[in-house]
Amino acid sequence: MTWRIVALVAVVVAAVGAMVVAVPLAVEVVGGRGLAVLEDVPGPESGPECPVDSRYVDEEPDGLRQDVLAAWRELRAAAERDGVLACVNDGKRSNAQQQREFDEAVEKFGTEELAAGYVLPPGKSNHVKGFAVDVQPWSAAEWVAEHGQAHGWCRRYDNEYWHFEYDPDYRTGCPEMLPDATS
Ligand SMILES: [Zn+2]
């Protein structure tokens, strides 16, 4: 009888062992980050200087939604073929990064209401949702405003010439521009 108990214990140990191993593996499958919520995925805090205009940076487009990243690469390559370098002055932000920017704006402008005119609270920013990119310098943003729609990129706000959003449906036409991001 003893060998049966030993065998049973061995099976149980093996099964528990497999479960313990299976848990970290399941997390690995999700891009190795263990962050399933897109809103919590951060983007770079900054990046190297934009080669065509030192007032701006050219961040890696890390953290964008996968289809948005592919569409961004397509857009940037198209711009390059026209001799235009579209720098990513800002792309993905996490909720925490957006909150920090908002808190800084509240400090600068005095109230949350005034701050919201310049920086959106985390729940409302499409940078947090991973489908917005701020393009600089102005000449590159102008190129995207003119040619981006064919690649699914549209300018959305009158007061932000640099801010573009991706939606596959935009390939058939851009929505009407809004006065600003708070409207
Ligand atoms: Zn923006």
Side-chain angles (χ1 to χ4, degrees):
M1 288 305 264
T2 317
W3 67 269
R4 279 175 189 265
I5 292 167
V6 169
L8 185 65
V9 167
V11 166
V12 169
V13 166
V16 169
M19 281 159 69
V20 168
V21 170
V23 172
L25 281 178
V27 175
E28 287 290 335
V29 175
V30 190
R33 298 177 214 262
L35 284 170
V37 181
L38 188 65
E39 280 84 348
D40 290 336
V41 175
E45 288 293 339
S46 191
E49 196 176 285
C50 174
V52 291
D53 193 326
S54 62
R55 290 173 296 170
Y56 307 107
V57 297
D58 188 24
E59 284 186 356
E60 287 300 320
D62 294 342
L64 295 175
R65 221 173 60 197
Q66 279 307 307
D67 61 324
V68 181
L69 178 60
W72 168 256
R73 292 201 166 124
E74 176 192 311
L75 179 77
R76 179 144 147 150
E80 268 175 36
R81 284 194 294 274
D82 277 1
V84 173
L85 179 62
C87 285
V88 180
N89 197 50
D90 204 356
K92 181 69 170 80
R93 299 176 204 139
S94 64
N95 265 322
Q97 285 173 316
Q98 187 75 23
Q99 185 69 55
R100 226 176 303 134
E101 286 192 25
F102 186 69
D103 291 346
E104 280 166 19
V106 171
E107 205 155 291
K108 188 169 164 190
F109 297 107
T111 67
E112 288 199 0
E113 200 179 15
L114 285 172
Y118 299 88
V119 180
L120 291 177
K124 295 190 171 172
S125 171
N126 291 333
H127 285 278
V128 172
K129 290 170 191 153
F131 58 84
V133 170
D134 292 341
V135 176
Q136 292 286 4
W138 183 82
S139 54
E142 198 185 29
W143 186 94
V144 177
E146 198 177 328
H147 302 99
Q149 184 257 315
H151 305 276
W153 290 90
C154 288
R155 187 180 149 190
R156 299 301 322 283
Y157 312 116
D158 252 334
N159 70 332
E160 295 186 22
Y161 72 81
W162 57 85
H163 179 99
F164 295 89
E165 294 180 3
Y166 172 76
D167 187 312
D169 291 344
Y170 291 170
R171 289 173 199 267
T172 56
C174 285
E176 209 177 318
M177 238 193 283
L178 303 167
D180 58 66
T182 59
S183 43

